[in-house]
Amino acid sequence: MTQRQREIYEFIKDFHDKMGYPPTIREISEHFGFSSPTGALVHVEAIEKKGYIKRDHASRGIKVVAKSPFDVTFAELIGKMDKSGKIVKSGEQTHIPVPSNEKQLLSVESLVDIPEFGIFKGDYVVFVPGRSSKGLVLLKKGEEHVVGILKKEKLENLTGEEINGFDLEFAFYGVLRIPSHDKKITG
């Protein structure tokens, strides 16, 4: 994406966030000082071709459909996950930058490997608000958090024991792996 395309993409997102609807080609043209709407249209078509937006050719028919490589959400790090899935809180407020355009994310640092989900010790496991019908989930009871696995409407901790009394609040979003500086790369 060129610098100008990125600026227009950001303008489209910001306009939609503030106004609740996307800008027209004419509004984009006026904002960036193009001599005619055609200048804006060329850039919008290029952004669409790259897959970041879709247009239905209505006046306000621009829809953001993909994350920009420049979108970052700071996921709150709520603690470290032990072998059972229990979250041990750190006591300090920390946020991890995650490439995403989600409004809210939570993360935990894994102290164990969970190969079934491609998670290794030291990875940051990221969760998004919402429910999931299966897979890794973040559960809450009072101030206590637990990472569990939802299997056929049954909640289990990471060691396979059934979990009861927790609310399912966050679904698995992904894994953030930060390479360690102390490991040698061989090859």
Side-chain angles (χ1 to χ4, degrees):
M1 195 179 301
T2 68
Q3 176 67 26
R4 177 60 85 181
Q5 290 168 0
R6 187 177 72 112
E7 290 168 357
I8 291 171
Y9 173 78
E10 292 297 327
F11 173 75
I12 292 168
K13 287 188 339 176
D14 292 344
F15 188 100
H16 188 274
D17 288 347
K18 288 177 188 162
M19 304 301 290
Y21 51 84
T24 64
I25 297 296
R26 183 169 302 284
E27 288 167 335
I28 294 169
S29 178
E30 289 170 1
H31 178 81
F32 287 96
F34 293 116
S35 58
S36 76
T38 305
L41 181 61
V42 169
H43 288 292
V44 168
E45 287 174 340
I47 297 166
E48 181 180 25
K49 194 178 230 181
K50 292 176 181 178
Y52 292 105
I53 61 173
K54 282 213 181 280
R55 294 182 325 127
D56 65 11
H57 302 285
S59 175
R60 295 195 183 276
I62 299 172
K63 180 179 180 191
V64 175
V65 294
K67 294 177 273 198
S68 160
F70 306 101
D71 288 341
V72 173
T73 299
F74 287 89
E76 181 183 351
L77 179 62
I78 60 171
K80 297 182 180 198
M81 173 179 58
D82 70 13
K83 66 181 180 181
S84 71
K86 184 175 180 179
I87 307 300
V88 179
K89 297 196 181 219
S90 66
E92 56 186 66
Q93 193 172 20
T94 306
H95 290 82
I96 306 295
V98 178
S100 170
N101 60 3
E102 296 289 337
K103 298 282 186 222
Q104 181 190 12
L105 296 172
L106 290 181
S107 63
V108 296
E109 183 179 352
S110 181
L111 298 176
V112 295
D113 293 346
I114 312 173
E116 179 181 349
F117 294 97
I119 297 167
F120 300 100
K121 182 178 179 180
D123 285 349
Y124 293 95
V125 185
V126 183
F127 296 90
V128 64
R131 299 188 62 83
S132 176
S133 60
K134 64 179 182 172
L136 213 57
V137 292
L138 184 62
L139 308 164
K140 185 175 181 181
K141 176 168 59 174
E143 293 299 312
E144 184 180 0
H145 285 89
V146 172
V147 172
I149 301 173
L150 183 58
K151 295 180 179 177
K152 299 180 186 172
E153 297 299 317
K154 180 180 169 189
L155 285 170
E156 298 178 353
N157 69 11
L158 298 181
T159 59
E161 298 170 3
E162 193 168 342
I163 301 174
N164 292 307
F166 282 83
D167 294 323
L168 193 161
E169 293 190 341
F170 287 78
F172 178 63
Y173 182 77
V175 176
L176 182 62
R177 183 167 297 133
I178 301 173
S180 173
H181 294 292
D182 59 349
K183 291 184 183 170
K184 265 190 182 173
I185 298 174
T186 58

